[in-house]
Amino acid sequence: PNGADEARFKVLPENEVKKFREKFSLEQARIILTVGHVSDRKGQDTVIRAMPKILEKVPNAHYCMIGLPTEKGRFQKIAQELRVEKHIHFLGAVDSETLLQAVNACEVFVMTSRHAGDGSFEGYGIAVVEAAFCAKPAVVSNNCGLAEAITEGETGFGVPENDAGKTAQAILKFLEDEALKLRMGEAARRRALAEQTWEKRARAYDYFLRGLL
């Protein structure tokens, strides 16, 4: 599997996180975050469909998406039909500083990618590992490479693709249980630093390839 950059992604002080919240008027929000191309394959619409159930329990939950907003129009229409559009935010492409602030501001990182009609699917969840460096637990699709980026039940939860109900249940575990969120977020950070940096991955590749030679 791939690694991620622990020098770039890290836990920020609260004053830096506050800048992001103020910039996007999310001061009181419980933020759910996805980073990736806003597209059918990335499956952000599954989280949007999960929002009605989430909002029943956590009325100040907000879903933020960072990435090229290719499917913004279609996904906005879904949000409007479900009457959750005020809790959905398409932030588009952002600079590195804003990205790091956003990851630190979220309660949970979510990536509900699906197998696309052309046969493509998520190979590995680098963005999930980047969030882990920031001590954030994750909810991910469990039938692709994203499952390798978490330790089930310890650093995150896997859910079936396209299942808005189970996605909502998994997200709510973190939004409703602060101790669980913090414990699994810290576990994600420990695992990422121990196993998922580029240096650790390079050493593993080197060992493997030398064995083949």
Side-chain angles (χ1 to χ4, degrees), residues 23 41 91 100 125 158:
K23 180 177 180 180
R41 185 168 75 82
L91 306 185
L100 181 57

Side-chain angles (χ1 to χ4, degrees), residues 181-200:
K181 182 195 77 173
L182 294 174
R183 183 171 69 250
M184 291 182 68
E186 187 54 39
R189 183 172 178 271
R190 286 197 304 269
R191 183 200 173 195
L193 290 171
E195 303 175 16
Q196 297 170 297
T197 67
W198 279 119
E199 180 184 1
K200 298 291 174 58

